Structures are given as C-alpha cells and as structure tokens.
C-alpha cells in the first residue's frame, strides 16, 4: 500500500509514525515533509496548495491513499482534485472544509443543526468605525474577536480590554478579512477528534490543548504549545454527549446540504454549566493534540484512515486504545509566534524510546547529521505513562535534554489536571 501524506509539521510526523507501525507495512511518502521525517518516508518537494502538482505526484507514486494534514490545501480544494482523478483521500471536500475555512458558515450550520455555540456577529470589511463600536457594545465584558478565515490558530484574541478587542478587529479588517465577534464561553476546553464518513461518526480520545505561549495561559495565542489525553476531569459519558449533541447533528446537516463530510472533524468546545458548546470546528487533525492522541491508538492507522476515505467506516471494528495517558510538549523558537528565529542548531534530541520520543515540525538539516530550526514550533516531545503525572514526567525529562539557543517551552502542560484544579461546572 502506497500512502502519501500532505504536510510538513509534527502532526504529519505523528501520522507517519502511526502509519509506519501498521502491520501492512505501507510504503510512505510525504510532501513536502521536513528533515526529521526522512527515516520514515520518502520526501517530495511540493506546494501543498498546488492541486495539479499533488495529483501528478499521487500518480507518480501510484498512491493508494492520500492523507491531507493541514487545513490550507483542504480549503483550497486539493482533496476535490485528487478525488476527481480517482484517488482515495482522507480529508473533506473544499465545500465541507468551510466548517473551518469560514467561521460564519460553521455558525450557520450549527444553527440549522441545533448545536450549542457562542452567539456571534460578523463585521465585513468596509464597516464604519461607528458600526464596529456598536457591535463591540453588544459583547463583553470579555471580548472574543476572530478572523473569519484561516489563521493557523493565531487569529483569535480573547480579552477583557475593549481597546485590545478593537485593535484586533481593525487589524483583521485592514487585511481585507471579515471579523467575527463572539460571546465568551466559560468552562474548561475540550478537543474531540471524530472520524466522519457521511453520517457515521467515530470519536477518538478527548484532549486538551494549551494555546497561550507561556505558563499560566499568559502571552499571545499560538498554534498550540502542548496537549494531553485523556481528560481525567471530563464527566462520565462526556465523549458520548459531545458526539450525540454536536458531531452527529453537524454530520447529518452536512449530508442534508449535499456536502457530506469525509475525514477528521475536530470539535473545539467549552464545557460550561449547560454542558458542551462549540468554540470552533477544524477540518483536520489538530496540532499538537494529534501527537498525544495517536500515541495511544492500538488500532492500525492505515486501515482506519482508508476506511474513512473509501466510505466504509461503518463496517470498521471498534477502536482499541492503550491504557494510560500521553502528553506532548512543544519546543518553540525564540520570537514565536510573531517572528520566530530560524537557523539555530539543535542538540540532545532524544532517541526513539516508545515511552518518550520526538516529532519534528520546523526543522531542517544542519551541518553533518544535525538539525537546525526552520519554523516557529520546532519539535514536539511526547511522553506516555500509566497516568498523566508519569506521562508528564517523561515528556519533560526528554525535552529538558534538548538544547537550542533562545528556545522555550511551557512547563505546565497538563499540570492543572494532575493537581485536580480543573472541573466542569
């Protein structure tokens, strides 16, 4: 089985690692990939939004399955071009990927499906200052201001300061993008990945991401600084409730609209006093949650993703998971997320221990056999253990051995859960 993975981050490295352990021993290819993936897959130079080149590459390697990692090629319609060329693709169509590509569209779908979410108002480019101020009047005292398009997880400002909310709205509108104002959803956040094949929905383990750059949820929003799974504080039956109240209704609504969903639906939720409410949807595996979640999956990944791509998920056996917990911690470059420095040498990257290992994101080959930084999020370190505390200890022991000038990482990933400081209302 020839499998082509599209993307270049730690999420794609986690997918390749899972696929490489499949008993069918698939032949793996990745485009464009990064230097750390070369031991698992053949790398191919490719622009992930070039549909024609992606189809040509899939033909060249006789791909039996194409797995699209990032959101940008999905929203650009690369999956549609591959399907039209006869390839099995894991990833939604361009129309279905608008659940992530347009937050306003996602709100419309949720309203039709009866799914709980924050109240929202859209401001279009060209709105007057008075119109923006009037819209801000209708929200607060905590403002949630979002870029309505794709922003790599960094287009959101949550602030109690009206001036900061206005400044972010102005910057998004000045770039020609619509702004979405939302009411603030209280309660701990949950990331739930669901495999979706039409109206068939199969959940993976729930996780929690840490978006802010620094300890204690301080600093700017990032693409994600770490995550852990499962969630010891989630109410019993919590996953089933999210599936029943959120993911299945959305899947049915997409079918009813003539744009059935096929791929990974990521529901980002807040669990408040009335239960789960949607913060946002993503149309692909999330990064860094994927690194932790897939580390505990026992079910062979290749057959699972292939079943979704071919529309046979309903016939797939139930998923099997390892007992225990997993934590991933992101090593970031100096200046991340605004202006990450590149070219710094990496030293002390741990070997591939099954209980503590490293996944590459923003790396390139340096002198000799070494690596240098080539992006904002440079590495993800995964630790596993019989409980969350042990998984944390292993992840932090491993990342503590890595040296890179100016690098930083959060030291509190999963800590609040270990200390029992997270509870649902």
């Amino acid at each position: 089985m020839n499998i082509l993975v599209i993307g270049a981050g730690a999420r794609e490295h986690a997918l390749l690692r899972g696929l490489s352990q499949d008993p069918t021993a698939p032949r793996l290819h990745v485009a464009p990939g990064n230097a750390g993936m070369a031991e698992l897959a053949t790398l191919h130079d490719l622009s992930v939004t070039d549909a024609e080149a992606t189809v040509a590459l899939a033909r060249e390697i006789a791909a039996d399955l194409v797995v699209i990692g990032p959101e940008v090629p999905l929203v650009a319609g690369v999956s549609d071009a591959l399907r039209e060329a006869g390839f099995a693709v894991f990833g939604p169509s361009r129309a279905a990927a608008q659940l992530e590509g347009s937050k306003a569209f996602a709100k419309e779908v949720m309203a039709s499906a009866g799914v709980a979410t924050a109240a929202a108002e859209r401001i279009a480019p060209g709105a007057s200052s008075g119109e923006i101020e009037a819209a801000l009047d209708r929200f607060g005292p905590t403002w949630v201001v979002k870029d309505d398009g794709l922003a790599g997880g960094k287009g959101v400002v949550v602030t109690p300061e009206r001036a900061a909310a206005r400044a972010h709205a102005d910057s998004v509108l000045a770039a020609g993008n619509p702004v979405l104002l939302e009411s603030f959803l209280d309660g701990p956040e949950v990331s739930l990945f669901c495999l979706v094949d039409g109206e068939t929905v199969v959940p993976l383990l729930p996780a929690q991401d840490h978006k802010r750059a620094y300890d204690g949820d301080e600093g700017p929003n990032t693409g994600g600084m770490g995550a852990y799974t499962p969630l010891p504080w989630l109410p019993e039956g919590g996953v089933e409730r999210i599936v029943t109240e959120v993911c299945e209704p959305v899947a049915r609504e997409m079918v009813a609209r003539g744009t059935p969903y096929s791929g990974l639906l990521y529901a980002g939720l807040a669990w408040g006093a009335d239960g789960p409410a949607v913060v946002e949807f993503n149309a692909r595996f999330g990064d860094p949650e994927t690194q932790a979640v897939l580390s505990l999956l026992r079910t062979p990944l290749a057959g699972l993703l292939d079943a979704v791509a071919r529309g046979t998920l309903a016939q797939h056996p139930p998923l099997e998971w390892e007992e225990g917990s997993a934590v991933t911690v992101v090593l970031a470059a100096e200046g991340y997320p605004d202006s990450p420095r590149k070219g710094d040498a990496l030293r002390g990257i741990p070997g591939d221990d099954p209980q503590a290992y490293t996944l590459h994101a923003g790396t390139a080959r340096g002198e000799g056999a070494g690596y240098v930084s080539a992006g904002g999020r440079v590495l993800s370190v995964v630790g596993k253990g019989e409980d969350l505390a042990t998984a944390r200890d292993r992840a932090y022991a491993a990342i503590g051995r890595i040296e890179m000038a100016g690098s930083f990482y959060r030291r509190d990933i999963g800590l609040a859960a270990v200390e029992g400081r997270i509870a649902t209302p």
Side-chain angles (χ1 to χ4, degrees):
M1 188 179 191
N2 292 317
I3 301 178
L4 171 61
V5 175
I6 304 297
R11 165 186 50 217
E12 287 75 34
H13 199 173
L15 286 164
L16 289 170
R17 190 176 192 277
L19 292 166
S20 72
Q21 296 171 344
D22 195 287
T24 62
R27 294 174 294 279
L28 301 178
H29 300 260
V30 62
N34 65 51
M37 299 177 184
E39 294 180 1
L40 295 177
T42 302
L43 274 62
H44 302 268
D45 188 25
L46 179 77
S47 167
V48 298
T49 57
D50 190 333
E52 184 177 343
T54 305
V55 170
L57 175 58
R59 286 179 174 144
E60 177 187 332
I61 66 172
D64 298 296
L65 174 66
V66 182
V67 179
I68 300 179
E71 63 273 22
V72 174
L74 293 169
V75 173
V78 172
S79 63
D80 302 77
L82 286 162
R83 287 191 177 97
E84 288 168 8
F87 292 98
V89 183
F90 182 86
S93 66
R94 179 177 186 172
Q98 287 304 302
L99 282 173
E100 177 169 3
S102 169
K103 295 174 180 63
F105 172 77
K107 292 289 186 185
E108 178 189 325
V109 169
M110 284 186 277
S112 298
V115 170
T117 187
E121 184 172 336
R122 188 173 185 267
I123 304 174
S128 69
S129 179
E131 289 171 331
I132 298 169
E133 287 296 321
L136 289 169
D137 287 341
R138 293 187 281 273
F139 292 85
T142 298
W143 283 268
V144 180
V145 187
K146 296 182 177 182
D147 187 328
D148 188 43
L150 296 177
K154 299 186 284 289
V156 181
V157 164
V158 180
T159 178
E161 299 178 6
R162 183 185 176 111
R166 174 63 194 260
H168 186 59
D170 287 344
S171 68
V172 173
L173 293 169
N177 297 328
V179 165
L180 205 69
L181 296 179
E182 289 189 355
S183 57
F184 178 69
L185 293 175
D186 204 2
E189 292 196 2
V190 180
S191 299
L192 184 66
F193 299 167
C194 287
L195 301 168
V196 179
D197 170 13
E199 295 190 12
T200 302
V201 177
V202 176
L204 306 187
L205 292 179
Q208 187 178 64
D209 186 12
H210 294 61
K211 281 288 188 187
R212 299 281 188 168
Y214 310 127
D215 288 2
D217 292 328
E218 298 290 336
N221 267 346
T222 71
M225 293 298 294
Y228 66 96
T229 186
L231 308 181
W233 48 266
L234 193 67
E236 186 176 353
V239 168
E240 292 76 11
R241 185 172 174 186
I242 294 169
V243 170
T244 300
E245 296 182 10
V246 175
C247 301
E248 288 180 342
V250 166
R252 289 193 295 268
E253 176 64 21
M254 295 299 284
V255 170
R257 288 170 176 251
T259 52
Y261 199 96
S262 172
L264 194 290
L265 180 64
Y266 168 160
L269 313 111
W271 196 290
D274 297 324
V278 175
V279 175
E280 65 180 1
F281 286 119
N282 291 329
R284 36 68 191 184
F285 280 103
D287 185 341
E289 298 99 323
T290 298
Q291 291 90 296
V293 171
L294 289 187
S295 75
L296 297 177
L297 181 66
R298 280 184 175 159
T299 296
L301 185 60
L304 181 60
L305 301 186
D306 190 64
V308 177
R310 298 182 187 277
T312 61
L313 181 60
Q315 287 78 54
H316 194 280
L319 303 189
E320 296 182 3
W321 298 93
E322 289 183 28
E323 295 290 335
S325 297
V327 173
T328 184
V329 183
V330 171
L331 182 79
E334 181 175 333
Y336 178 75
D338 295 327
S339 53
R341 192 173 71 191
K342 300 179 182 179
D344 288 309
L346 284 151
R347 299 180 181 86
I349 298 175
D352 194 8
D353 181 335
Q355 300 302 313
Y357 55 87
T358 304
L359 299 167
H360 288 242
T363 65
R365 279 293 181 185
E367 294 184 6
Y371 297 97
V372 298
S373 61
R377 292 188 293 177
V378 180
L379 300 170
S380 284
V381 175
V382 178
K384 296 165 58 177
E386 59 270 20
D387 53 37
L388 185 54
T390 304
R392 286 189 79 253
D393 289 345
R394 287 174 176 161
Y396 280 107
I399 201 169
R401 295 194 290 270
I402 301 173
E403 298 177 6
M404 188 182 92
S407 64
F408 69 97
Y409 56 89
R410 283 186 58 162
R411 299 174 187 272
D412 61 349
I413 304 300
L415 182 59
V418 169
E419 296 180 344
R421 292 187 280 113
I422 303 180
T424 55

